[in-house]
Amino acid sequence: MKTVIVTGSTSGIGLGIAEAFALNGFNVMLNGLGDETEIEATRARLAGLGAGDVGFSGANMLEPEQIAELVKTTESQFGAVDVIVPNAGIQHVEKIEDFPIGKWDAIMAINLTSAFHLIRAAMPGMKERNFGRIISIASAHGLVASPYKSAYVAAKHGMLGLIKTVALEAAEHGVTANAICPGYVETPLVAGQIADTAKARDMSEEAVISEVILKAQPTKQFVQVGQIAALALYLASDQAAQITGTALPIDGGWTAQ
Ligand code: NAD
């Protein structure tokens, strides 16, 4: 039985990915912030979905030692870490001259540097077992930019560089590294962004959804969490062994423009 760590899996895309892996018989280590009782209810619900077990670690993605500990704890609880999904992320929308320095630092730390620490800690075990799948959740903003998202766009572009480098280093060890680049998905992160963009551009939230958000996506539809989870499951499979070092858009055609 294989084991996956999904960072930021108490909400949104990470939770959907954790559910899909649990349903498909993986042991799952959940991670993220949130209310303890709600997290325990989620953990118990996911544990009932498949044959695998489900654990939770509250490791803060701002803290390198806690990220290394997350890998150690998972290895001792489940025996190995086969798949990692660096997914935790935050957003802040503001013009560059007003962009809070603390927000820049936090976005870099959570959206990019935490993936480095997670990969760094999990790689020795993956190489030893000659199997590993690193599936980072980047963004269409890893491929193209939008105004007012300097830190997020920089971090997501950086994530693609990290993934390509790791893919090359690990290529002869049965370890693949890929980045999924979703377009807009309706999650709490995007709800906050809609409100912030409305403020930054002096527009109503309805106008932001139709004129900013879905305008970027030719299909005019949000991407669904389950669609991203299905791609992550495929990348974790043996059939995906020759897919490595890629950035895979799942964005309704956004980055084709
Ligand atoms: P979300 O806000 O629903 O979930 C974010 C998760 O990260 C939560 O579980 C939260 O607890 C966790 N998290 C935040 N800070 C943390 C910290 N310091 N330590 C540990 N966990 C922390 O957001 P989402 O939309 O599901 O986003 C997940 C990922 O997908 C992010 O990397 C985001 O950039 C990316 N993404 C989202 C969209 C979208 O449209 N929603 C599009 C492209 C990429």
Side-chain angles (χ1 to χ4, degrees), residues 34-95:
D35 175 76
E36 246 178 59
T37 316
E38 278 176 31
I39 292 173
E40 174 48 27
T42 300
R43 193 207 59 74
R45 180 172 65 79
L46 263 60
L49 292 180
D53 202 356
V54 180
F56 169 74
S57 155
N60 190 330
M61 292 300 115
L62 289 165
E63 303 292 339
E65 306 77 34
Q66 293 186 26
I67 301 169
E69 199 52 45
L70 164 63
V71 172
K72 272 204 198 127
T73 308
T74 311
E75 283 173 341
S76 58
Q77 188 169 340
F78 296 122
V81 174
D82 306 288
V83 183
I84 52 173
V85 183
N87 162 80
I90 58 168
Q91 174 64 292
H92 186 80
V93 181
E94 199 153 355
K95 55 181 189 282

Side-chain angles (χ1 to χ4, degrees), residues 158-182:
M159 176 72 93
L160 300 195
L162 171 65
I163 286 297
K164 286 188 222 175
T165 307
V166 169
L168 296 181
E169 288 186 28
E172 292 181 54
H173 299 274
V175 179
T176 68
N178 294 285
I180 296 180
C181 299

Side-chain angles (χ1 to χ4, degrees), residues 28-228:
V28 178
M29 182 57 89
L30 295 168
N31 160 260
L33 312 176
D35 175 76
E36 246 178 59
T37 316
E38 278 176 31
I39 292 173
E40 174 48 27
T42 300
R43 193 207 59 74
R45 180 172 65 79
L46 263 60
L49 292 180
D53 202 356
V54 180
F56 169 74
S57 155
N60 190 330
M61 292 300 115
L62 289 165
E63 303 292 339
E65 306 77 34
Q66 293 186 26
I67 301 169
E69 199 52 45
L70 164 63
V71 172
K72 272 204 198 127
T73 308
T74 311
E75 283 173 341
S76 58
Q77 188 169 340
F78 296 122
V81 174
D82 306 288
V83 183
I84 52 173
V85 183
N87 162 80
I90 58 168
Q91 174 64 292
H92 186 80
V93 181
E94 199 153 355
K95 55 181 189 282
I96 188 90
E97 57 270 41
D98 295 334
F99 209 93
I101 293 166
K103 284 282 181 197
W104 171 277
D105 290 343
I107 289 174
M108 284 298 155
I110 296 170
N111 294 22
L112 176 58
T113 309
S114 75
F116 158 72
H117 291 297
L118 187 70
I119 294 167
R120 184 178 182 277
M123 186 59 84
M126 289 180 170
K127 280 187 172 173
E128 201 179 292
R129 289 184 301 279
N130 210 38
F131 181 89
R133 294 286 187 267
I134 298 161
I135 306 163
S136 79
I137 305 306
S139 170
H141 280 123
L143 298 163
V144 294
S146 295
Y148 314 119
K149 295 180 182 172
S150 52
Y152 188 87
V153 170
K156 296 296 186 182
H157 275 67
M159 176 72 93
L160 300 195
L162 171 65
I163 286 297
K164 286 188 222 175
T165 307
V166 169
L168 296 181
E169 288 186 28
E172 292 181 54
H173 299 274
V175 179
T176 68
N178 294 285
I180 296 180
C181 299
Y184 285 106
V185 190
E186 267 183 306
T187 67
L189 180 140
V190 163
Q193 202 177 315
I194 290 168
D196 291 350
T197 305
K199 215 165 100 191
R201 299 195 185 197
D202 196 18
M203 294 165 79
S204 71
E205 294 195 9
E206 296 68 34
V208 169
I209 291 174
S210 62
E211 290 167 33
V212 180
I213 297 208
L214 293 182
K215 190 175 171 213
Q217 293 190 184
T219 56
K220 303 284 180 251
Q221 290 175 31
F222 282 101
V223 179
Q224 300 301 310
V225 168
Q227 295 165 345
I228 299 169

